[in-house]
Amino acid sequence: VEGGVAGGHVGGTGSGLSEVYSLIVGAAIKKNWRYPSFTGESNRLASVEIILDADGNILSSKIIESSGNPEFDNSALRAIKETEYVERPRTERDRTLRINFNSQELSE
């Protein structure tokens, strides 16, 4: 007679954990994010893809969706560069992340 765990798997797909990890990484990077909020622009959004190694070192970053403002985009890339490394990724999939930089977050 075999004993087993009902359902047979633990934690499901893990997409929820990936979302949490993205938020943790985003928060760490945004501590270094500076952009002059007095520019009067209402709402800018830039999406950046970052690639991590297994230890959480940031290997590369690139703009996936531009805010339409090169200065704003560069401020996001600069924050990533200054961060250098983040909490270690839990899975292979977590080594490629997309982080959104929204100008509204700066005024909070």
Side-chain angles (χ1 to χ4, degrees):
V1 180
E2 285 186 40
V5 178
H9 63 277
V10 180
T13 61
S15 63
L17 287 176
S18 287
E19 273 177 44
V20 170
Y21 181 69
S22 280
L23 290 171
I24 291 168
V25 170
I29 289 169
K30 287 171 188 174
K31 283 182 194 159
N32 293 319
W33 186 30
R34 289 177 298 287
Y35 181 73
S37 53
F38 57 80
T39 53
E41 295 171 276
S42 53
N43 193 6
R44 292 270 175 202
L45 177 71
S47 275
V48 184
E49 182 184 83
I50 63 171
I51 310 287
L52 305 170
D53 69 11
D55 292 321
N57 295 301
I58 297 171
L59 300 177
S60 69
S61 58
K62 67 179 178 190
I63 300 286
I64 306 275
E65 283 178 41
S66 173
S67 66
N69 178 327
E71 246 181 87
F72 185 85
D73 292 355
N74 286 332
S75 74
L77 293 172
R78 198 166 41 246
I80 293 165
K81 199 164 257 146
E82 286 178 20
T83 306
E84 291 177 23
Y85 62 91
V86 295
E87 186 179 311
R88 183 183 203 127
R90 292 171 184 84
T91 66
E92 188 66 31
R93 191 176 53 191
D94 286 342
R95 289 176 56 178
T96 302
L97 296 174
R98 187 175 184 152
I99 309 283
N100 291 325
F101 289 81
N102 186 325
S103 60
Q104 289 183 323
E105 294 176 82
L106 286 166
S107 57
E108 288 174 1

